[in-house]
Amino acid sequence: MNELRIGLVSVSDRASGGIYEDKGIPALEEWLTKTLTTPFRIETRLIPDEQIMIEQTLCELVDEFSCHLVLTTGGTGPARRDVTPDATLAIADREMPGFGEQMRQISLKFVPTAILSRQVGVIRNQSLILNLPGQPKAIAETLEGLKDKEGNVVVSGIFASVPYCIQLLDGPYIETDPAIVKAFRPKSAIRTAE
C-alpha cells in the first residue's frame, strides 16, 4: 500500500531561534496520531518567517519527500513578518479556497479577529498544502470543527474533506477515528474492508 506521508511545518522566528518552545508541531503530531487510523509517516520542519525559506521547505516536502499532505502552522496573520500564505500561494499549482474559508468560519465562532487570518489551501503536484492557525487549541478546532453537547457536528472541520481530496489526487486511502472527525466521501468513493 502507498504509505501516507505528511509534512509538518512550524513557521516562527522565535521558536526556530530557540527563544521559546514550538507548540505547533507537537500539537499536530498528537492530533494526527489520535485521529488517523491509517498508518502514516511524518517529516517535520521548524523554520523562521522567511518567505524564501518557507517556499523552499514546502517544495522540498512535496517534490523530494513526496508528502501527500503538508500542514503549516503559524505566520498567517496581517503582520509584515506573516508570510506563510504568500509563500504557499507562490509555489502552488492551484488554490483550494474552501479550506481557508472554512477555517475562518470555524474560528469566527470563537474570536472576531479570525477575519484577520489569511490561511490558504493549495495543491502542488499531487499534494495538498494547508495553512493552519498557530495555537494548538485553534489547530484542533479548525481540523475537527464544532460539535454540540451531544457530540453532533454543528460546523464541519476541514479534515473531514482531506481524505477524499488526497484520494482524488491519487494518494493513499485515508481513514480516521469518526469519534474525532469523520472522513466524508461520496458513497461511490468509499472502500469496504476486504
Side-chain angles (χ1 to χ4, degrees), residues 75-82 113 116-118:
T76 60
R80 187 172 291 169
R81 296 284 298 162
D82 291 334
T113 51
L116 303 178
S117 169
R118 300 185 309 116

Side-chain angles (χ1 to χ4, degrees), residues 12-191:
S12 169
D13 285 334
R14 290 177 292 176
S16 65
I19 296 166
Y20 68 74
E21 189 182 350
D22 173 57
K23 291 185 168 69
I25 289 174
L28 282 167
E29 286 178 322
E30 182 185 337
W31 191 87
L32 290 164
T33 301
K34 74 176 185 180
T35 305
L36 295 178
T37 56
T38 302
F40 62 96
R41 194 172 76 226
I42 290 179
E43 197 66 44
T44 64
R45 300 286 184 276
L46 175 57
I47 57 174
D49 289 278
E50 296 289 347
Q51 183 163 344
I52 289 175
M53 192 175 286
I54 299 167
E55 289 177 25
Q56 289 171 341
T57 301
L58 295 176
C59 290
E60 175 197 26
L61 290 169
V62 170
D63 304 346
E64 295 173 35
F65 286 89
S66 302
C67 289
H68 302 99
L69 175 65
V70 177
L71 303 174
T72 73
T73 174
T76 60
R80 187 172 291 169
R81 296 284 298 162
D82 291 334
V83 292
T84 303
D86 310 274
T88 304
L89 290 168
I91 58 92
D93 295 328
R94 292 181 285 167
E95 189 175 357
M96 299 290 288
F99 284 105
E101 291 164 8
Q102 188 66 1
M103 282 188 266
R104 283 182 284 280
Q105 194 61 41
I106 293 165
S107 297
L108 275 167
K109 304 284 186 202
F110 298 97
V111 291
T113 51
I115 59 172
L116 303 178
S117 169
R118 300 185 309 116
Q119 296 148 313
V120 296
V122 305
I123 291 170
R124 177 180 173 85
N125 296 335
Q126 297 297 106
S127 304
L128 176 64
I129 303 172
L130 300 173
N131 299 155
L132 298 173
Q135 297 303 316
K137 182 175 181 288
I139 290 170
E141 287 165 355
T142 56
L143 291 171
E144 290 176 33
L146 306 175
K147 295 177 181 162
D148 62 19
K149 290 185 176 81
E150 289 77 44
N152 301 309
V153 176
V154 179
V155 179
S156 291
I158 62 162
F159 208 86
S161 300
V162 168
Y164 185 51
C165 184
I166 303 280
Q167 190 175 343
L168 290 171
L169 295 171
D170 297 323
Y173 191 84
I174 303 171
E175 296 187 78
T176 60
D177 178 347
I180 299 165
V181 63
K182 187 176 187 326
F184 181 85
R185 326 175 141 80
K187 285 190 175 75
S188 62
I190 296 171
R191 293 184 194 159

